[in-house]
Amino acid sequence: MRDDLRARYGEERLPRYTSYPTAPQFSDAIRHEAYGEWLSAIPGGTTASLYLHVPFCRSMCWYCGCHTTITQRDAPIVDYLDVLRREIGLAADRLSAPLPVGHVHFGGGTPTIMEPAEFIGLIDLMRQRFSLGDGAEIAVEIDPRTLTRTMTAALGEAGVTRASLGVQSFDPVVQRAINRIQSFEQTARATTGLREAGIRGVNFDLIYGLPHQTVESCIETVRQSIQLRPERFSVFGYAHVPTFKKHQRRIDESALPNGAARYEQAEAIAGALIQAGYRRIGLDHYALPEDSMVQAQADGVLHRNFQGYTTDPSDVLIGFGASAIGRLTQGYAQNEVVLGRYAERISRGELGTAKGYALTADDRLRADLIERVMCDFRVDVQEVCSRHGTAPETILQAIPRLRVLEQDGIIRFDGNLLSVNDDTRFLVRTVASAFDVYLGASGRTHSRAV
């Protein structure tokens, strides 16, 4: 990337656009009553996706941007799972009929912190309250440091199809700086055990832009990772937002790489993965050639949701657990973040919704434009606008920044077809942000564009 573009755009703070509008636009105008009505209005037979949030860990990783609570005791986890099961029942009761489910995702925190029997029980409950078929993808986020053999066996027994392992970096200097000591051997044991349990889809999560991280240490982490041949990689830039995540204040800011160094690290990781035979998917995912995500990108049907890039085409995502976000055709709904308030709502027989957002016609149009830019690095503005009953000029003429991006050589137009240039794809979030009418309105800080 040209140095002048990196200097001009690399320090911008932008959303990752896993949703549009983004979470800062959510408000308490949408509460549990509205969400309950949205659930009741879902037509029977609609294929849905489910997200279950388990907000507990044994120790705090200082880079973490998730909603999680540190506990060494199991009692708070057991109590929380009781509440989670009640919420699943409350939501299912509002549906006109059990919905077929194509994707289930357990996020955290550390979902595998629960007892194996509890996990199997949750899967059984979802099979009872939803139409969870044998072909459904069930994905679980895993901390290899705490994964036990009994939990690994339970994941296989429950029908888990995909496991995402947090790796971040194998550099011991970086690991000490982020309070996450994790050996290659721990990761290898977890990967081998999962495959022996029948889980064929293994993802590794890597992070660049961490304290003391270098291009060399990034490449070395990739070198070790590819020995285990995970089917996919997710490679994220560290978002340093200590204003919102106070534990990040324990990270030495003077040891964080600048925008130029972050870009070099990201491209070094990309180059090493591509050389190892992985295909680049969108901005930050990589997959082996035979992976379904590669085919989805080739067919132009790749999607983006709160877990990043996905092959999941469903417009209905039902979120369970504290801080979980759901998306229905009417809009977004987010549960209470604070565990106590979440539990209080469920104990009253209410859904856990604390805030949300009702989508407008313009939101849906812009969301489609942003998704295609983020997934395909191109968007046929006329085709998308036609589906929404809008003339492309209505959008294009109202966004003068697109012409600035064109003049700077970041994008190009062929009629109404917008394409991100190959050598500036790292600024795809910058391009997507041009369609975002809310950016900057909340005053919230996002992660760096580079």
Side-chain angles (χ1 to χ4, degrees):
M1 185 195 299
R2 286 171 16 211
D3 290 342
D4 61 324
L5 295 183
R6 187 165 57 234
R8 190 176 310 162
Y9 295 101
E11 297 298 322
E12 288 184 320
R13 298 281 180 164
L14 300 173
R16 297 186 188 274
Y17 290 113
T18 53
S19 71
Y20 182 83
T22 55
Q25 299 307 312
F26 297 180
S27 77
D28 60 8
I30 302 297
R31 303 297 286 269
H32 66 94
E33 301 92 344
Y35 186 48
E37 293 175 0
W38 291 358
L39 287 170
S40 298
I42 299 174
T46 300
T47 300
S49 300
L50 308 179
Y51 173 78
L52 291 86
H53 189 64
V54 183
F56 295 96
C57 293
R58 293 303 187 196
S59 62
M60 179 62 76
C61 304
W62 294 340
Y63 65 84
C64 183
C66 302
H67 294 297
T68 192
T69 297
I70 306 305
T71 181
Q72 298 302 320
R73 299 185 302 116
D74 289 340
I77 303 168
V78 172
D79 292 344
Y80 174 83
L81 293 175
D82 286 340
V83 179
L84 184 65
R85 284 189 286 268
R86 290 191 61 188
E87 185 193 11
I88 292 171
L90 289 171
D93 286 343
R94 284 164 171 77
L95 300 172
S96 61
L99 298 178
V101 170
H103 288 73
V104 179
H105 191 101
F106 285 83
T110 306
T112 50
I113 200 173
M114 71 180 82
E115 287 295 317
E118 297 275 15
F119 184 86
I120 291 174
L122 278 175
I123 295 293
D124 288 342
L125 177 61
M126 285 186 287
R127 294 191 189 280
Q128 294 167 16
R129 300 311 308 263
F130 297 91
S131 181
L132 183 61
D134 292 337
E137 175 163 294
I138 303 176
V140 182
E141 296 174 10
I142 292 173
D143 182 343
R145 301 173 301 170
T146 59
L147 182 66
T148 65
R149 290 184 179 180
T150 52
M151 176 53 86
T152 300
L155 297 177
E157 179 184 342
V160 170
T161 60
R162 187 165 298 279
S164 291
L165 278 62
V167 172
Q168 324 319 347
S169 172
F170 284 127
D171 184 341
V173 175
V174 174
Q175 289 185 354
R176 286 192 293 272
I178 61 175
N179 196 41
R180 185 187 177 97
I181 306 301
Q182 176 179 323
S183 69
F184 172 80
E185 289 72 23
Q186 285 175 308
T187 307
R189 281 196 299 271
T191 302
T192 300
L194 290 164
R195 286 177 168 151
E196 289 175 348
I199 300 166
R200 298 304 174 198
V202 176
N203 306 356
F204 280 8
D205 294 335
L206 306 183
I207 297 181
Y208 63 88
L210 292 169
H212 302 292
Q213 207 165 19
T214 65
V215 166
E216 291 73 22
S217 71
C218 288
I219 293 174
E220 177 59 19
T221 293
V222 172
R223 186 194 68 78
Q224 294 182 71
S225 296
I226 60 178
Q227 294 178 43
L228 304 175
R229 208 62 176 171
E231 280 68 28
R232 296 178 185 173
F233 281 90
S234 300
V235 183
F236 302 121
Y238 167 57
H240 189 62
V241 286
T243 304
F244 300 104
K245 296 295 179 182
K246 292 182 172 54
H247 54 266
Q248 290 188 353
R249 296 174 185 175
R250 305 189 71 171
I251 285 180
D252 180 5
E253 291 188 348
S254 68
L256 292 174
N258 61 22
R262 285 168 62 93
Y263 173 73
E264 291 171 359
Q265 290 173 13
E267 287 304 295
I269 292 172
L273 288 174
I274 292 169
Q275 186 176 18
Y278 290 84
R279 302 283 179 85
R280 195 168 190 167
I281 306 294
L283 174 64
D284 47 26
H285 283 43
Y286 301 81
L288 291 173
E290 61 273 16
D291 192 274
S292 60
M293 191 171 279
V294 173
Q295 188 61 52
Q297 179 173 253
D299 293 342
V301 294
L302 189 67
H303 293 281
R304 194 155 171 82
N305 63 18
F306 295 108
Q307 281 72 58
Y309 290 106
T310 178
T311 59
D312 180 6
S314 178
D315 291 328
V316 174
L317 170 66
I318 303 175
F320 297 111
S323 81
I325 302 176
R327 184 195 187 281
L328 278 63
T329 55
Q330 299 93 333
Y332 297 98
Q334 181 172 14
N335 281 347
E336 291 279 8
V337 173
V338 178
L339 296 181
R341 290 205 292 265
Y342 163 71
E344 287 173 6
R345 284 189 179 276
I346 303 303
S347 69
R348 294 196 297 264
E350 301 174 358
L351 295 167
T353 313
K355 58 184 178 179
Y357 185 91
L359 291 165
T360 67
D362 185 66
D363 293 331
R364 292 186 175 90
L365 166 62
R366 292 174 183 273
D368 280 356
L369 291 166
I370 288 171
E371 183 175 52
R372 297 284 34 102
V373 168
M374 292 295 298
C375 292
D376 304 333
F377 296 106
R378 65 202 297 267
V379 59
D380 187 332
V381 179
Q382 182 168 346
E383 188 274 330
V384 173
C385 286
S386 295
R387 285 194 279 109
H388 290 267
T390 301
E393 296 78 14
T394 305
I395 289 289
L396 296 176
Q397 293 178 5
I399 308 177
R401 194 181 193 209
L402 289 175
R403 297 305 168 188
V404 175
L405 296 175
E406 184 181 27
Q407 291 167 10
D408 284 344
I410 295 173
I411 62 174
R412 65 185 183 278
F413 280 97
D414 180 6
N416 289 318
L417 178 65
L418 180 158
S419 301
V420 183
N421 290 321
D422 290 347
D423 60 346
T424 59
R425 287 187 169 189
F426 208 69
L427 292 174
V428 66
R429 287 162 62 199
T430 301
V431 180
S433 72
F435 295 101
D436 185 348
V437 296
Y438 303 109
L439 186 61
S442 68
R444 182 167 178 172
T445 301
H446 296 282
S447 59
R448 285 177 176 175
V450 174

